[in-house]
Amino acid sequence: MVRRTGRRPGNPDTRATILAAARTTFAERGFDKASIRAIAATAGVDPALVHHYFGSKNTLFLAAMNAPADPAEVLRTVLAGDPDQIGERLIRAFLGIWDSPAGTSAVALLRSAVSNEWTARLLREFLTTQVLRRVLDHLEVDPAQAPLRGSLVASQLFGLAMARYVIRLEPIATAAPETLVDSVGPTMQRYLTAPLDGQVGPPSRGHRVCSSHEA
């Protein structure tokens, strides 16, 4: 029998080892600086085996996060259509995932992030690189304003999730999704595209400011 070297045999234990190494590497280095090679080294496997199990770094990250949905698929609908309504579409999609059976893993992740710094790092990386970056790049916001806009959007999403799914604050906990979309959507839109107080610069694409001749 020929003995193979350089990688672990393909089995569930190997997959679990890769996922554990990925969580550690993503938490320590962040999504952008983490590499398949570094994750493979931490797991003690050949990089080709990581590709065999997960295909790409992005797919591996979603698996490591136990993400309830693929943001790329969800955001395809969110980013389509009128930019002035993207805030409402983002809230609607967010609630659609969290209110579904898949939302159970999202709630567990949020609960863990509150008390576990490693999980909090992963959650920040997930929201920043997989959601906010895609939305802000699509809107072509001023790069100088992007971090603040992204943080404001995140505060709205996490705050809503905590109130509705963890603390279960009424009437938010049992409100109809469209009620929350109508209430929170405009605030989300302002964070994404409206001028920010104290900051001067051109408006983001999708937000039109009237000139003095139009007022």
Side-chain angles (χ1 to χ4, degrees):
M1 181 177 68
V2 177
R3 185 178 180 182
R4 301 177 66 186
T5 59
R7 67 178 65 177
R8 297 173 187 259
N11 57 52
D13 290 340
T14 303
R15 189 177 190 278
T17 298
I18 294 172
L19 282 174
R23 293 186 186 101
T24 299
T25 307
F26 284 129
E28 289 180 343
R29 304 188 182 189
F31 177 81
D32 292 332
K33 294 183 179 179
S35 66
I36 292 292
R37 185 173 297 277
I39 292 169
T42 301
V45 301
D46 191 296
L49 195 57
V50 179
H51 286 292
H52 169 73
Y53 275 104
F54 299 99
S56 68
K57 184 173 79 168
N58 192 71
T59 302
L60 174 57
F61 184 52
L62 295 182
M65 289 292 302
N66 193 26
D70 184 345
E73 294 294 328
V74 175
L75 291 177
R76 186 171 293 113
T77 300
V78 172
L79 300 180
D82 187 353
D84 289 332
Q85 295 178 350
I86 195 171
E88 293 183 2
R89 293 197 299 274
L90 184 57
I91 292 293
R92 185 176 291 110
F94 178 81
L95 292 173
I97 294 170
W98 285 67
D99 286 343
S100 73
T104 301
S105 61
V107 174
L109 183 63
L110 181 59
R111 289 181 182 274
S112 178
V114 172
S115 59
N116 186 295
E117 175 59 25
W118 286 93
T119 306
R121 291 183 186 180
L122 287 173
L123 189 55
R124 285 197 299 268
E125 282 296 307
F126 175 81
L127 189 64
T128 300
T129 65
Q130 305 300 307
V131 180
L132 299 178
R133 178 185 294 173
R134 287 170 170 157
V135 172
L136 295 172
D137 284 351
H138 176 80
L139 292 173
E140 298 179 1
V141 305
D142 181 351
Q145 296 182 359
L148 177 57
R149 290 186 186 277
S151 295
L152 290 171
V153 170
S155 71
Q156 197 70 40
L157 292 175
F158 283 137
L160 180 58
M162 286 293 295
R164 184 171 174 86
Y165 305 104
V166 178
I167 302 174
R168 298 200 58 80
L169 179 66
E170 292 292 359
I172 291 177
T174 56
E178 283 304 311
T179 298
L180 298 177
V181 169
D182 292 341
S183 300
V184 181
T187 298
M188 186 71 75
Q189 188 69 39
R190 181 168 63 86
Y191 289 159
L192 287 169
T193 61
L196 300 177
D197 291 343
Q199 294 194 1
V200 179
S204 304
R205 191 184 71 181
H207 180 79
R208 185 169 178 266
V209 178
C210 292
S211 69
S212 58
H213 297 292
E214 296 173 297

